[in-house]
Amino acid sequence: MDSQIEELAPWFHNIHLPDGSETAPDHFLGDFPAFKWAEIKNHIPADMSGKTVLDVGCNAGFYTIELARRGASVTAIDLDPHYLRQAEWVADIWELQENIEFKQLQVYDLAKSDEKFDIVWFMGVFYHLRYPLLALDILSEKSNEMLVFQTLTMPGKETFDTEKNYNINDRQKMEENGWPKMAFIEHQLNNDPTNWWAPNISGIKAMLRSAGMKITANPGHELFICEPDAEHPGANQLWNKSEYLSATGKEWKSSYQDKVDGK
């Protein structure tokens, strides 16, 4: 087993295998991501038989495996073929191949499909995306029951209750501690050029609401459990729908075109 683990190195997920071996026991973050799973697992059904899950950015498959072990049918996507090889090997070791489908996809590719899932697992990906709100809008469309969200954040826990509207000359309010915002990383963070963004806590909450999601739990640092908010649909379903459809390569018609067509 150790030789196979070495052949598939390097590992970012430390996965505990049935024989007691681990894929990354000396991980610089500790037993990662097991310590994050410990914060989330009681917010997820213990019996997930019949549930469908989309794991976005599955990496070596830690969460995919845990969810499949609970009986879920998991579609696990990642762009990196190295991670997918690791995840497929781990799924084989755990004999969970029938519960999991692995696909090499970008999150934006999901807009091409009408498939939806009971639970969308979106952890550790948001801040790596050049177009993060587009991805969040796409995934809000995919989630029937729950969205599990985690992202790198700016330091601080301050929040700010914004008003529904501001005068154009009231922009100094944006300098208040806790105003929803997101820092842009032009070059690199932790030697990683794909680390683009670091939102503050208010920014995360505001973006989730803007995508039509209601936060139901905050089980740990940077972790949010959400559900679709039927009373407050996302902007991509309201006034911003045409932009969303254009951004995802779908057809749209303006109200002017509807008039031309006699509708």
Side-chain angles (χ1 to χ4, degrees):
M1 191 73 71
D2 289 342
S3 62
Q4 292 172 296
I5 292 173
E6 183 62 29
E7 287 176 10
L8 287 165
W11 295 79
F12 188 65
H13 280 181
N14 182 39
I15 299 176
H16 296 247
L17 300 173
D19 70 347
S21 57
E22 301 176 31
T23 58
D26 300 320
H27 201 293
F28 71 98
L29 291 175
D31 193 3
F32 175 86
F35 65 84
K36 287 190 177 293
W37 171 250
E39 295 176 316
I40 304 168
K41 63 182 182 180
N42 291 334
H43 295 267
I44 309 299
D47 182 1
M48 300 184 70
S49 302
K51 295 288 186 183
T52 58
V53 180
L54 171 66
D55 185 1
V56 181
C58 65
N59 202 280
F62 179 94
Y63 298 115
T64 293
I65 296 301
E66 293 296 341
L67 296 164
R69 288 176 66 190
R70 293 190 176 199
S73 176
V74 185
T75 298
I77 71 168
D78 205 292
L79 183 63
D80 193 325
H82 175 73
Y83 290 145
L84 289 172
R85 283 193 295 272
Q86 292 177 335
E88 288 172 348
W89 179 77
V90 172
D92 183 60
I93 294 297
W94 276 105
E95 298 182 352
L96 291 168
Q97 308 95 317
E98 293 185 2
N99 294 65
I100 305 168
E101 181 179 11
F102 293 103
K103 295 182 178 181
Q104 185 178 11
L105 292 175
Q106 291 260 22
V107 62
Y108 314 110
D109 293 326
L110 296 167
K112 301 172 185 177
S113 168
D114 293 327
E115 186 176 9
K116 294 192 175 186
F117 303 84
D118 296 316
I119 297 174
V120 171
W121 204 268
F122 189 38
M123 294 186 58
V125 178
F126 184 80
Y127 53 97
H128 290 300
L129 300 175
R130 181 76 174 181
Y131 313 105
L133 271 180
L134 176 58
L136 190 57
D137 281 344
I138 291 170
L139 295 179
S140 71
E141 293 271 287
K142 297 295 176 185
S143 175
N144 284 331
E145 298 177 7
M146 180 185 294
L147 169 71
V148 180
F149 179 91
Q150 183 270 332
T151 183
L152 175 82
T153 59
M154 297 171 63
K157 299 180 180 179
E158 300 87 354
T159 58
F160 187 94
D161 293 327
T162 57
E163 299 175 14
K164 294 295 185 182
N165 188 35
Y166 286 92
N167 185 283
I168 195 169
N169 295 317
D170 288 338
R171 283 171 285 171
Q172 72 278 3
K173 298 284 181 63
M174 298 178 187
E175 297 180 340
E176 297 280 351
N177 287 335
W179 178 278
K181 63 187 66 173
M182 189 153 62
F184 176 67
I185 304 162
E186 182 180 0
H187 301 296
Q188 294 188 30
L189 178 68
N190 198 40
N191 298 313
D192 187 343
T194 74
N195 285 326
W196 290 108
W197 309 98
N200 64 4
I201 296 300
S202 285
I204 293 170
K205 293 179 178 180
M207 287 186 284
L208 287 169
R209 290 192 298 266
S210 179
M213 306 304 296
K214 179 169 63 177
I215 297 170
T216 58
N218 179 201
H221 179 56
E222 301 177 338
L223 291 170
F224 297 88
I225 309 292
C226 313
E227 63 182 27
D229 190 345
E231 295 183 2
H232 301 94
N236 62 315
Q237 292 301 309
L238 301 172
W239 61 271
N240 205 41
K241 187 170 184 177
S242 64
E243 182 179 357
Y244 173 73
L245 293 175
S246 292
T248 53
K250 297 181 179 180
E251 291 187 29
W252 65 277
K253 288 185 177 181
S254 68
S255 57
Y256 172 78
Q257 188 63 49
D258 284 341
K259 292 178 181 178
V260 171
D261 294 341
K263 295 182 180 179

